[in-house]
Amino acid sequence: MGSRLKRYGIWVLVAVVGAVCWGVLALARGETINAGWLLFAAIASYAIAYRFYARFIQTRVLETDDSRATPAERLENGRDFVPMDRRILFGHHFAAIAGAGPLVGPVLAAQMGFLPGTIWIIFGVILAGAVQDMTTLFFSMRRDGKTLGQMAREEIGPVGGAAALIAVMSIMVILLAVLALVVVNALTASPWGSFSLLMTVPIAIFMGFYLRFLRPGRVIEVSLIGFALLILAIVGGGWISESGYAEAWTFEGTTITWALIIYGFVASVLPVWVLLAPRDYLSTFMKIGTVLLLAVGIALTLPAMQMPRTTQFAFNGEGPVFSGPLFPFVFIIVACGALSGFHSLIASGTTPKLIAKESQVRMIGYGAMLMESFVAVMAMIAACILDPGVYFAMNAPAGVLGETARSAAEAVRGFGFTVTPETLNQIAQNVGEESIIARTGGAPTLAVGMSQILSSLLGGTTLQAFWYHFAIMFEALFILTTVDAGTRVGRFMLQDMIGNVWRPFARTSWLPANIVASALIVAAWGYFLYAGVTDPLGGINQLFPLFGIANQLLAAVALTVGTTILIKMGKLKWAWVTALPLAWDASVTLTASWYKIFSPDPSIGFFAQRAAFQEALANGEVVAPAQSLEDMRQVVLNSTVDGILSILFALMIIIVILDAARVWVGVITGRKPAETTEAPYERSRLDHEGKPLEPEPVGAGGSPSSS
């Protein structure tokens, strides 16, 4: 009794700490607060959610069963289905889901103040994002690792399933090309990043063979070796960038593009234990290590949050960074830090084929998403400790700010904030850049914020340039892991789709199908990437504005499939676990789609933008971002394509939800049998760690106990 009271007393204390921190964030007025309140509010919220809500979902809603063999055990083929140590799998899954979104999304959302985005990042992940990841992983695992689109087809029906398959595959290609473009932009003319990232490939291959053949099961041992080699690669990259070898490691965007395309193909075809999983695990050291170092820096230095809780742009929707009202656009901009449809592709792609025990869905599905949300909190803090004038001078468009520090300071004054030209020049000098004006996209702002936190912890101003370039390299490494894992998932999806027509193609163990599907998916995103790198207004740049909404529409598909399966499992009373996030996500994304399609404001609506540029073109005028009449025609085309695709994506998601609702009503009323495609039960021969059980002596009697 006493130990129980002590155990729950600790959680009461955690809850009180969280409540006090949230109270300070929400209610303190007229004074600047330090970032520590936000940091500890997040940590307390995550701890309570993982301990209680994730456990409730695991034990009451999903009812995981460790005596049941997972696909990794039943279908093991040494290529795609491999029982993997939960620590390595956590690293792979986290690295695969954590891309550009949690880094740059919160930075851009900071335009509206730190409070709206922070609330969504923390409570959104607890109630929606981590729930989606965990349930999708579980349901795919119970269905032999089926992809999201295939599960939609089999559980909802041919109409909703076909719409889901088309939407998921189309959105997948867009997401991969966008993520790859961010990597190309980060690595172009960056010898430090290029060297360090390339070195992770041979290190990962060494780790894979080490664990597979040299020292099986020695995870801690290989982790220490890999970590040491990674540090050497990072330090070596810094040395290369300052040496005479820098030119040899400085590549143009097209060269990096071809390297990414080749790498994506190879990582998709090779057995998962050779390159993909160990490289993702290796990358996780860098990702989580840097984030924890940031958290320590914040906890020790307690930097002030310079950005107010809310800005005027949260209420008038006329911000210089992005246009549109707080609802729905802050929930779209934050993206992966709270809820991401891309995660459902990983959770129904590589991870369900590698997980050794069902109970691990809590740690890997829910836990990894909480960690990504924590990354988003760090990004929000890094952006908001900057002076608001500096923030807007970095993130407003060049056409608004002008080309000089003085013109940028004048423009920022028009936004309601102040910054001096001397401050802008000094920060640029501190981080080793010629200028920080109009460094849009979020990544440079994050790097400046990170450099301020880390230099205040280690090295002072003299090391700020080092930490800035370290942060840029960190961002590239952070994002690259989503490209290789996403390509493999795209291969699985394509094999599932073609397998509906020709069954042998769906076999992931068949090498010819692997090669063909990998080549097709790489060719799809590679085409848009290459065109985008060579043409600032073409290729994936044409589709970039669809990234946020498309990603969240994908989450609606995953939550719809999850709700359908829960109802079919006879768990109607628990269907709210996925149905409530679905209702919220659908309202947000469809409202955003409505704005993008019908808004008369050219800065928001695609067709309004098309009309404005068409009129200017007819008058022979050139309007930014176009620099010529040919560019004007390209913008008109881009706006038209984006508008049409917005309509099609929204319609397909509506079809999926309505068709699923038909299934729900049929099952609930008894008019439709509750048939699921769950694989039959087969007893596991692995222990709770995922290691083979020792055979019982003949005549020993009894039965093996389940984990």
Side-chain angles (χ1 to χ4, degrees):
M1 182 69 177
S3 62
R4 188 174 183 182
L5 286 175
K6 183 179 179 181
R7 185 169 69 249
Y8 282 102
I10 293 173
W11 288 109
V12 170
L13 179 61
V14 172
V16 170
V17 169
V20 170
C21 292
W22 278 113
V24 171
L25 290 173
L27 302 177
R29 292 288 183 268
E31 60 184 40
T32 301
I33 64 171
N34 71 66
W37 295 107
L38 198 160
L39 174 67
F40 290 110
I43 292 173
S45 301
Y46 295 148
I48 292 172
Y50 185 79
R51 170 59 180 82
F52 295 102
Y53 192 49
R55 188 177 182 185
F56 160 75
I57 295 173
Q58 177 190 345
T59 58
R60 301 292 296 277
V61 181
L62 302 180
E63 295 184 274
T64 60
D65 180 5
D66 277 354
S67 73
R68 187 186 187 111
T70 64
E73 179 183 353
R74 289 187 295 102
L75 306 175
E76 182 177 4
N77 60 11
R79 180 176 296 276
D80 297 312
F81 292 88
V82 181
M84 192 162 286
D85 184 277
R86 68 184 187 280
R87 291 161 292 185
I88 294 180
L89 185 55
F90 178 91
H92 158 70
H93 185 77
F94 173 73
I97 65 173
L103 295 178
V104 301
V107 174
L108 302 179
Q111 167 186 265
M112 295 188 171
F114 71 80
L115 193 58
T118 297
I119 291 174
W120 172 235
I121 288 169
I122 296 175
F123 290 101
V125 74
I126 290 171
L127 300 174
V131 172
Q132 174 210 248
D133 292 13
M134 182 179 178
T135 54
T136 302
L137 174 57
F138 177 81
F139 294 138
S140 177
M141 179 183 63
R142 281 282 180 97
R143 285 155 183 78
D144 291 341
K146 293 283 179 63
T147 58
L148 177 63
Q150 189 64 23
M151 285 196 294
R153 181 181 182 277
E154 294 177 355
E155 298 293 345
I156 296 176
V159 176
L165 281 169
I166 296 171
V168 169
M169 181 56 74
S170 303
I171 293 172
M172 175 70 158
V173 171
I174 293 174
L175 297 184
L176 284 175
V178 167
L179 293 170
L181 181 64
V182 177
V183 174
V184 171
N185 289 339
L187 293 182
T188 299
S190 173
W192 187 354
S194 298
F195 177 85
S196 299
L197 286 184
L198 183 61
M199 289 302 102
T200 62
V201 174
I203 295 172
I205 293 174
F206 166 76
M207 291 173 66
F209 278 89
Y210 191 94
L211 270 181
R212 186 80 173 179
F213 301 112
L214 299 179
R215 302 275 284 174
R218 305 285 183 168
V219 176
I220 296 178
E221 187 176 302
V222 79
S223 298
L224 293 174
I225 295 172
F227 179 73
L229 293 174
L230 177 63
I231 295 300
L232 284 176
I234 294 170
V235 173
W239 178 81
I240 288 285
S241 66
E242 300 296 330
S243 73
Y245 298 103
E247 186 177 351
W249 287 94
T250 302
F251 304 111
E252 296 181 351
T254 52
T255 304
I256 297 172
T257 297
W258 281 113
L260 272 182
I261 290 172
I262 294 170
Y263 170 74
F265 174 80
V266 172
S268 176
V269 172
L270 284 177
V272 69
W273 59 266
V274 173
L275 176 60
L276 183 67
R279 210 196 79 81
D280 287 350
Y281 180 57
L282 183 66
S283 300
T284 300
F285 291 146
M286 175 72 170
K287 292 183 176 185
I288 295 181
T290 302
V291 170
L292 292 181
L293 184 61
L294 268 177
V296 170
I298 292 166
L300 294 180
T301 62
L302 298 177
M305 299 288 281
Q306 303 288 346
M307 189 71 74
R309 289 170 181 77
T310 55
T311 66
Q312 68 269 31
F313 307 124
F315 306 102
N316 62 25
E318 299 175 356
V321 180
F322 65 92
S323 299
L326 188 151
F327 181 88
F329 287 107
V330 76
F331 306 100
I332 298 294
I333 292 293
V334 166
C336 309
L339 172 66
S340 171
F342 179 79
H343 296 187
S344 66
L345 303 182
I346 304 299
S348 62
T350 53
T351 309
K353 299 174 177 65
L354 304 173
I355 192 167
K357 286 294 174 182
E358 288 195 350
S359 61
Q360 294 171 7
V361 297
R362 180 184 175 204
M363 169 188 169
I364 294 166
Y366 203 95
M369 183 54 193
L370 289 184
M371 178 56 71
E372 179 166 2
S373 180
F374 190 58
V375 173
V377 170
M378 295 299 99
M380 179 66 77
I381 292 174
C384 293
I385 64 167
L386 298 177
D387 183 281
V390 174
Y391 171 87
F392 286 106
M394 292 188 70
N395 289 283
V400 175
L401 295 171
E403 298 181 355
T404 67
R406 188 167 300 280
S407 64
E410 288 293 329
V412 168
R413 189 174 293 112
F415 304 150
F417 300 97
T418 58
V419 66
T420 65
E422 292 75 19
T423 298
L424 296 176
N425 290 330
Q426 184 61 54
I427 292 176
Q429 182 180 338
N430 289 347
V431 299
E433 294 281 3
E434 292 184 7
S435 172
I436 60 168
I437 296 169
R439 297 294 302 274
T440 57
T445 304
L446 175 62
V448 170
M450 287 176 62
S451 70
Q452 286 198 7
I453 295 170
L454 295 176
S455 63
S456 65
L457 181 67
L458 297 169
T461 307
T462 55
L463 279 185
Q464 189 170 353
F466 167 83
W467 286 118
Y468 172 81
H469 290 286
F470 172 85
I472 294 292
M473 189 272 297
F474 161 75
E475 292 168 8
L477 176 66
F478 207 98
I479 299 165
L480 179 60
T481 51
T482 61
V483 177
D484 52 16
T487 300
R488 197 178 191 95
V489 171
R491 188 252 285 180
F492 292 148
M493 292 169 54
L494 202 56
Q495 286 190 256
D496 276 348
M497 286 182 66
I498 298 177
N500 290 318
V501 179
W502 186 42
R503 182 63 66 183
F505 200 84
R507 296 204 322 265
T508 59
S509 59
W510 190 35
L511 186 59
N514 292 358
I515 293 174
V516 171
S518 297
L520 289 174
I521 197 71
V522 166
W525 65 257
Y527 165 76
F528 286 109
L529 172 63
Y530 188 85
V533 170
T534 55
D535 181 1
L537 292 175
I540 192 55
N541 296 303
Q542 185 180 53
L543 305 176
F544 200 97
L546 295 173
F547 176 80
I549 293 177
N551 185 40
Q552 301 302 71
L553 286 173
L554 199 54
V557 175
L559 291 167
T560 300
V561 171
T563 304
T564 303
I565 293 175
L566 283 177
I567 292 174
K568 285 186 170 185
M569 290 173 65
K571 295 182 177 291
L572 178 61
K573 67 178 180 179
W574 304 129
W576 58 267
V577 170
T578 52
L580 289 181
L582 168 61
W584 172 259
D585 182 55
S587 65
V588 166
T589 50
L590 293 178
T591 301
S593 297
W594 178 274
Y595 272 105
K596 286 296 183 181
I597 296 167
F598 297 107
S599 174
D601 185 347
S603 65
I604 299 176
F606 289 132
F607 292 112
Q609 183 185 65
R610 179 189 184 280
F613 274 79
Q614 185 72 58
E615 182 179 352
L617 183 62
N619 296 330
E621 301 172 1
V622 176
V623 182
Q627 297 180 350
S628 65
L629 291 178
E630 185 59 34
D631 285 352
M632 292 289 291
R633 296 185 186 94
Q634 185 66 49
V635 172
V636 170
L637 175 62
N638 292 355
S639 301
T640 305
V641 171
D642 289 342
I644 292 172
L645 286 178
S646 294
I647 295 172
L648 292 177
F649 285 156
L651 286 176
M652 283 189 282
I653 300 309
I654 291 172
I655 290 171
V656 172
I657 295 174
L658 291 179
D659 201 29
R662 174 188 60 82
V663 175
W664 302 344
V665 173
V667 172
I668 293 170
T669 59
R671 295 198 302 268
K672 183 177 180 62
E675 298 174 345
T676 72
T677 57
E678 186 175 290
Y681 175 91
E682 184 176 318
R683 190 168 186 80
S684 174
R685 293 177 175 81
L686 303 178
D687 64 15
H688 68 284
E689 292 287 341
K691 299 176 182 177
L693 289 168
E694 293 293 332
E696 195 172 72
V698 178
S703 60
S705 60
S706 60
S707 306

